Amino acid sequence: MLTPLTIAVAAAAVLLGVWCAVAALRDQSAKDWHYAAMAVVTLLTVVQLVVGIVMLAGGDRPAGDSTAVFVSYLVSVTACVPVVGMVALGERSRWGPATVAAGAFLLAILELRLHDVWGGGVG
């Protein structure tokens, strides 16, 4: 897997998480610019999904026998931010951005795990 892309997605997710956490602490609902940032992070995860599928189709495989686990992480990573974004749309209080922050931090953790699965990391 492309390590720079994984780092970029994780960093963008952390930035989104911090930004939404600050909004939640300020008792603000999710605004249009939060959704724009979610779209950027989602676009990065879609690019990562496409790169992962192309690498698998090209014959590259994750370390060990974990192709199914790798694909499931790719799909989960891609779905993470859109799901919490839809929850934030329905929750117009401070809990909308709080949910997005939690999902963004979860995405960063999933990125670390995705990197481990590809490289044969521990766990």
Side-chain angles (χ1 to χ4, degrees), residues 51 91 114-115:
V51 167
E91 182 58 53
L114 184 69
H115 184 69

Side-chain angles (χ1 to χ4, degrees), residues 7-67:
I7 291 170
V9 173
V14 168
L15 289 173
L16 175 64
V18 169
W19 190 23
C20 288
V22 168
L25 289 173
R26 290 182 174 174
D27 203 19
Q28 298 173 344
S29 63
K31 306 290 186 223
D32 288 342
W33 53 83
H34 292 112
Y35 292 107
M38 285 184 251
V40 170
V41 173
T42 301
L43 180 63
L44 286 172
T45 61
V46 169
V47 168
Q48 186 176 39
L49 174 69
V50 170
V51 167
I53 290 172
V54 166
M55 290 179 77
L56 288 173
D60 290 336
R61 294 284 182 253
D65 189 25
S66 57
T67 303

Side-chain angles (χ1 to χ4, degrees), residues 20 28-31 34-35 38 42 79-104 106:
C20 288
Q28 298 173 344
S29 63
K31 306 290 186 223
H34 292 112
Y35 292 107
M38 285 184 251
T42 301
C80 190
V81 172
V83 168
V84 296
M86 289 173 54
V87 171
L89 274 173
E91 182 58 53
R92 299 305 296 175
S93 68
R94 71 185 294 172
W95 296 109
T99 303
V100 174
L106 174 65

